[in-house]
Amino acid sequence: MAKTSGNDDTGQALAERIAALIADTAHNAPRSLQKRLGPSEVGDPCERRLSYKELDWPRSAAEGDPAASIIGTGFHTWMEEAFTRRQTTLPDGRPRYKIEERVTVQPSPIEAAVVSGSTDLFDRLTGTVWDWKLVGHTTQDKYRRGGPGPQYRIQAHLYGLGQENAGETVERVAICFVARYHELRVHVWTEPYDRAVAEQALARLGRIRAHLITAEAAASGYDHTWWSQIPTSELAKCRFCEWFKPGATDLSVGCPGINADRPARHGFESLIA
């Protein structure tokens, strides 16, 4: 629920109308309505959340505050324009930068099984896949000290695979964390591109998808007992999950999260082995 205020009754009514317009526009944007898993989600450490998403399970959580995503979208647009202005041509005649171009990470004759997305930037001169992240300064400090975590790292290598599938020579992946702060703070995490990281994540996704369509799954009616066998992770970001329902006792309705009385059953590493 947005926080609104006005200097009088008319101002309050206008504030509520504008807040509702902003929220409705954000929640009905193509990115928000996307049902197919994208590269940013494949590496989610929580297998249960991925399973809910794959089955298009009814959401149990209220739609989140859209402010951060709106600001992030605006920043991505700004970076797109910045690199478009700086576009140059390589000696072979190709443009140096591929900017916000869609790539296919995992093709499939089944539309729902395709994994594709838009790479923020690919620099052909250095062979580097770039991804922009606009974050709070405390979050930036966390990534600076401990790295980007498995989900972001996998996302970067998946985009690397997408560019490789598009015929590009990929050398490195890089994530640029820019802090929302009163001064410019930029942290870049980077490492050599490793196709195996992407393939391992896609193989894990394949195992998750296969489990969802077994005869046992169908016979269970996807009830609480069946859902309880799908692990969460200590690395799960529950407060951002559309199926997070604190206190839930029926997993077919919602997940109580990893801080519930029943602890997470597995960590991320065990899911991709």
Side-chain angles (χ1 to χ4, degrees):
M1 180 66 68
K3 295 182 178 179
T4 61
S5 63
N7 63 310
D8 57 20
D9 289 346
T10 299
Q12 178 61 39
L14 290 172
E16 291 173 359
R17 286 176 59 189
I18 293 297
L21 181 148
I22 292 171
D24 180 72
T25 302
H27 293 145
N28 287 285
R31 186 182 183 93
S32 298
L33 296 175
Q34 176 180 305
K35 295 182 179 180
R36 194 172 66 196
L37 283 174
S40 65
E41 299 169 295
V42 171
D44 192 318
C46 181
E47 183 173 338
R48 188 177 294 163
R49 184 183 184 185
L50 287 173
S51 299
Y52 282 132
K53 175 83 174 183
E54 277 290 293
L55 291 173
D56 195 21
W57 207 252
R59 273 66 168 167
S60 53
E63 292 180 300
D65 190 315
S69 66
I70 293 170
I71 295 170
T73 299
F75 177 73
H76 276 72
T77 300
W78 193 93
M79 292 295 283
E80 179 182 0
E81 293 172 351
F83 276 92
T84 298
R85 290 194 298 271
R86 288 163 174 76
Q87 183 68 275
T88 58
T89 303
L90 297 176
D92 62 8
R94 295 180 303 162
R96 172 175 176 176
Y97 301 120
K98 294 176 69 177
I99 308 167
E100 291 290 344
E101 289 195 11
R102 196 160 190 86
V103 293
T104 299
V105 176
Q106 178 176 265
S108 173
I110 303 173
E111 178 66 19
V114 174
V115 178
S116 63
S118 295
T119 311
D120 290 345
L121 182 76
F122 179 66
D123 183 352
R124 283 185 167 124
L125 182 64
T126 63
T128 304
V129 173
W130 284 91
D131 193 77
W132 317 125
K133 303 291 186 190
L134 191 64
V135 298
H137 64 93
T138 55
T139 300
Q140 186 193 53
D141 287 341
K142 180 186 75 173
Y143 292 136
R144 180 175 53 82
R145 292 191 302 268
Q151 186 169 351
Y152 284 165
R153 179 173 180 256
I154 287 171
Q155 178 186 1
H157 287 281
L158 287 171
Y159 278 127
L161 177 57
Q163 291 294 347
E164 189 177 359
N165 290 341
E168 303 294 345
T169 300
V170 184
E171 301 290 345
R172 298 192 71 84
V173 296
I175 303 175
C176 179
F177 295 98
V178 179
R180 297 188 296 268
Y181 202 62
H182 62 264
E183 64 183 13
L184 184 61
R185 289 187 178 183
V186 176
H187 170 67
V188 172
W189 170 89
T190 182
E191 69 179 13
Y193 166 60
D194 185 351
R195 182 188 180 97
V197 173
E199 291 177 334
Q200 188 179 43
L202 291 173
R204 171 188 175 238
L205 176 61
R207 290 193 292 273
I208 291 172
R209 285 173 165 172
H211 179 69
L212 301 179
I213 58 174
T214 61
E216 290 79 9
S220 73
Y222 302 97
D223 60 9
H224 170 78
T225 300
W226 184 84
W227 280 108
S228 68
Q229 297 171 19
I230 298 181
T232 59
S233 167
E234 293 178 357
L235 300 178
K237 300 176 181 178
C238 296
R239 71 189 185 96
F240 299 109
C241 178
E242 305 94 318
W243 295 273
F244 180 43
K245 187 177 179 65
T249 57
D250 183 351
L251 293 174
S252 68
V253 176
C255 177
I258 61 174
N259 293 321
D261 293 336
R262 180 170 166 274
R265 296 177 59 225
H266 298 286
F268 180 78
E269 291 77 8
S270 66
L271 299 181
I272 61 174

